[in-house]
Amino acid sequence: MEHTSLLQGIYLKNGKIKTRTMTKATITVRVVIIFLSIFTLVGPFLLKYSAIDWPTALFYTLDNLKMMFLQPAFNQITFATAITQILITLALAFLSTILGAILSFFLAINTAKNLAPAGLSNAIIAFNSVIRAVPTVLWVLIFAIVAGLGAVAAVLGMMLHTMAYLTKAYAESFEEIEEGTIEALRAAGASWWHIIFHCVLPQSASYLVSWTFLRFETNYGVAIAMGAAAAAGGIGFELFMSSSFYYDLYEVGMITYCALIVAIVLEITALQIKKRLMAR
Amino acid sequence: MTTTNFLRMKKWKMTGIIVLLLVIVYGSSIITDFDLLKGVASIPGTITWIATNLIPDAAAMENLPKVLSRLWETIVLSVIASTTAAICAFFFAIFGSKTTQINRTIAFCTRFIASVFRNIPIVAWALVLVISFGHNVVTGYFALFISTFGTLVRMFMETIDEASADGVEALNATGATYFQMVFKGVLPDTMPQMLSWLFYMIETNIRSATLIGLLTGTGIGYLFDLHYKRLDYGTLGLITLSIIIVVIAIEFASNKVRRMIL
């Protein structure tokens, strides 16, 4: 009888062996793909755009990109200024990452299923998903109303998103710790804080470091955007000035190259850290 | 080395790292003019402010149709930018992945292009495109497309590398052609995972679209900026609330689909 169950999806049609492998999952995949394709085809017609002169616009874009990438030059600012501004952007990213990471650690030990009660854990998860739903730039602008535009608003706004992201990542790595270890410590009479500092923290330290650096890399990109949108300074603000104020695409190109090099260095570092720490 | 020595070394190392981090925090605060005390102090103030001012009132509700139409624009933009970017990213990922690459030079080139696209800040794209396309939806579309493309190539490549090494080897051994290998071996294996990444990007893009909208004058970001500058906080609250609802709804839907397909 067991054969038939093995052969269930297989049948003959016109002398050829056909297989049927429709499960619930494959059907869902298909439905989702069809829905997305239709939406993509219809979508452009749902948008209102004022008339675009496509040939001219494309020509201008190519020309702009040529100026940007092939003839980069500093005009309004100097190379030294660019370096300082990049340092400021990195500093903004660093501050928001470290503050977010500290808060996340405390939230995560109250979120991980093996360390915290379910009610508290769910409350924190819900709180984080509301924070994450508001775009960073809106948080920054909301903070700016009370604290004023500048570094304080930018760091606080970016910190909130960092916190929401890292709490999830940290809690997941805490959950991977073997239940037995925690139980043994509990049986030996260790207090909750003992368990956190002598078992949870050492065992997940490498994951925490690699997740935090990964977030730092992301925050660098966010910090560029915040500098441009919320006048928090840094390289993003220079980028905004040179494109929207001076219309100096040569400089936009140069600034982009500077920002790009730092971003690629950070990406490679993050990947290396991840590879080394996770392998252990 | 004895145990006590090892533990002492570890303690010194930890202290060193903490001191180093504190020094960087202090240095960063100085060059950015960030005042930690002021930051901490402004958090309760902001919370009270949100609770008292950021509440949509009757006047704000009159703007609801306008908010909804801009929100719809943002959603459509995010979805079509993500799906079209995913199609392009799929082919790049196939050529760039270690298991399905044609040769190393092409693989290196595709990976390099994706890395450049990913790491050039989305702001730079938006600012350059707005010069040639003007304050238009198309600007937002291209800016989102480019950054999504860069990210998805990386995600797809990792997915392909993880999921299908064995299948590819088996198909190659039976003499399947390259396209058979890709469409019969790689695609079915990795499809659920890739869709899951696509949903993640749609959700991310709604947030990025707000930022891009602010810079390029389109979508919900433009509306937020407008009412922010008019100090019309009731409408601001309405806009924020509508974004929260949409993002959480999409997150919920994508989680549901993910659970069904993975």
Side-chain angles (χ1 to χ4, degrees):
Chain A
M1 279 299 112
E2 290 209 44
H3 291 64
T4 45
S5 70
L6 273 176
L7 290 173
Q8 223 171 32
I10 301 174
Y11 62 102
L12 279 170
K13 192 186 176 189
N14 300 334
K16 283 180 183 166
I17 300 171
K18 296 269 179 184
T19 54
R20 196 193 290 126
T21 46
M22 294 294 267
T23 59
K24 206 174 159 198
T26 47
I27 294 170
T28 320
V29 167
R30 244 173 238 185
V31 170
V32 167
I33 288 177
I34 290 168
F35 173 75
L36 282 178
S37 322
I38 291 173
F39 198 91
T40 311
L41 291 176
V42 177
F45 300 103
L46 300 175
L47 296 171
K48 276 174 281 177
Y49 15 55
S50 34
I52 292 184
D53 186 3
W54 279 95
T56 337
L58 284 177
F59 173 76
Y60 271 130
T61 313
L62 286 181
D63 203 40
N64 287 343
L65 290 179
K66 196 184 88 191
M67 276 197 268
M68 202 176 138
F69 288 115
L70 299 181
Q71 301 150 309
F74 280 122
N75 297 319
Q76 322 296 334
I77 59 170
T78 57
F79 185 63
T81 325
I83 299 283
T84 334
Q85 296 297 340
I86 284 187
L87 276 178
I88 290 180
T89 306
L90 281 171
L92 286 173
F94 178 79
L95 283 174
S96 48
T97 314
I98 202 100
L99 290 176
I102 293 169
L103 288 174
S104 300
F105 176 72
F106 289 105
L107 285 178
I109 50 179
N110 289 306
T111 313
K113 294 258 169 347
N114 50 353
L115 298 170
L120 186 61
S121 155
N122 289 335
I124 294 177
I125 290 172
F127 170 70
N128 273 341
S129 64
V130 171
I131 285 186
R132 237 193 355 229
V134 180
T136 314
V137 65
L138 299 197
W139 276 125
V140 171
L141 290 176
I142 289 170
F143 275 116
I145 294 169
V146 173
L149 278 174
V152 174
V155 169
L156 288 180
M158 294 197 299
M159 180 197 81
L160 277 187
H161 263 242
T162 310
M163 191 183 82
Y165 174 90
L166 285 182
T167 304
K168 194 170 173 228
Y170 287 1
E172 269 168 23
S173 39
F174 292 162
E175 277 161 13
E176 274 170 27
I177 292 168
E178 271 180 61
E179 191 55 40
T181 331
I182 297 173
E183 217 169 283
L185 274 170
R186 243 180 228 149
S191 74
W192 195 68
W193 287 109
H194 269 131
I195 296 175
I196 300 292
F197 282 109
H198 295 287
C199 161
V200 173
L201 197 54
Q203 277 201 29
S204 53
S206 51
Y207 281 93
L208 302 194
V209 170
S210 101
W211 278 115
T212 313
F213 199 87
L214 216 63
R215 187 62 208 189
F216 176 62
E217 187 208 330
T218 318
N219 274 354
Y220 170 72
V222 180
I224 294 176
M226 287 314 113
I235 197 74
F237 188 65
E238 297 296 336
L239 199 63
F240 180 72
M241 290 304 275
S242 53
S243 79
S244 299
F245 225 74
Y246 300 114
Y247 293 105
D248 184 352
L249 284 168
Y250 305 108
E251 188 163 277
V252 169
M254 200 65 180
I255 292 176
T256 307
Y257 274 125
C258 293
L260 178 67
I261 289 166
V262 177
I264 290 183
V265 168
L266 285 179
E267 187 183 322
I268 293 170
T269 320
L271 283 180
Q272 286 299 324
I273 290 181
K274 194 177 165 192
K275 215 189 275 171
R276 257 187 227 170
L277 291 177
M278 299 267 183
R280 263 199 257 156
Chain B
M1 203 192 284
T2 57
T3 349
T4 40
N5 260 339
F6 173 76
L7 283 177
R8 197 173 294 154
M9 279 280 286
K10 213 175 153 189
K11 219 173 210 173
W12 276 115
K13 230 178 173 177
M14 272 309 287
T15 322
I17 290 172
I18 289 173
V19 168
L20 184 70
L21 283 179
L22 282 177
V23 168
I24 302 178
V25 167
Y26 184 68
S28 304
S29 316
I30 287 177
I31 62 167
T32 56
D33 268 334
F34 176 75
D35 186 348
L36 187 63
L37 289 177
K38 195 184 161 200
V40 174
S42 63
I43 291 176
T46 310
I47 294 173
T48 1
W49 185 87
I50 291 175
T52 47
N53 290 301
L54 214 58
I55 295 184
D57 47 14
M61 290 318 268
E62 279 173 25
N63 289 320
L64 188 64
K66 221 163 56 181
V67 172
L68 288 182
S69 91
R70 289 288 185 172
L71 194 64
W72 175 242
E73 192 179 295
T74 306
I75 296 171
V76 174
L77 209 61
S78 312
V79 175
I80 60 176
S82 310
T83 46
T84 42
I87 295 167
C88 301
F90 173 72
F91 290 102
F92 266 73
I94 291 284
F95 292 132
S97 157
K98 278 196 189 72
T99 43
T100 53
Q101 65 185 18
I102 296 175
N103 65 49
R104 294 181 80 159
T105 327
I106 298 178
F108 178 78
C109 287
T110 48
R111 259 177 277 167
F112 183 75
I113 291 170
S115 171
V116 168
F117 272 83
R118 180 167 65 239
N119 282 316
I120 290 181
I122 196 166
V123 182
W125 291 121
L127 291 174
V128 171
L129 289 166
V130 83
I131 293 174
S132 35
F133 285 101
H135 295 294
N136 205 311
V137 200
V138 178
T139 317
Y141 170 78
F142 279 123
L144 282 178
F145 174 88
I146 289 169
S147 64
T148 314
F149 168 75
T151 318
L152 279 181
V153 173
R154 179 172 166 188
M155 303 307 183
F156 284 2
M157 224 141 57
E158 277 174 25
T159 312
I160 294 173
D161 278 343
E162 264 171 36
S164 52
D166 293 343
V168 168
E169 209 184 323
L171 276 173
N172 279 341
T174 56
T177 64
Y178 184 75
F179 285 100
Q180 278 170 342
M181 186 242 329
V182 168
F183 286 102
K184 301 282 174 188
V186 177
L187 197 56
D189 260 8
T190 51
M191 203 59 185
Q193 194 64 48
M194 285 195 205
L195 275 183
S196 161
W197 279 119
L198 175 62
F199 279 120
Y200 170 76
M201 279 323 283
I202 290 175
E203 194 192 307
T204 314
N205 274 347
I206 289 188
R207 284 191 282 261
S208 316
T210 315
L211 171 71
I212 290 175
L214 229 138
L215 294 170
T216 63
T218 55
I220 196 84
Y222 163 74
L223 211 59
F224 188 92
D225 199 36
L226 193 72
H227 290 279
Y228 185 81
K229 282 175 182 151
R230 282 188 193 159
L231 312 179
D232 176 6
Y233 296 134
T235 313
L236 223 54
L238 182 69
I239 295 170
T240 314
L241 203 64
S242 61
I243 295 176
I244 293 180
I245 293 172
V246 167
V247 172
I248 289 184
I250 290 183
E251 206 181 307
F252 182 77
S254 68
N255 276 340
K256 202 132 215 194
V257 172
R258 210 174 299 165
R259 225 168 290 143
M260 278 165 91
I261 61 181
L262 283 180

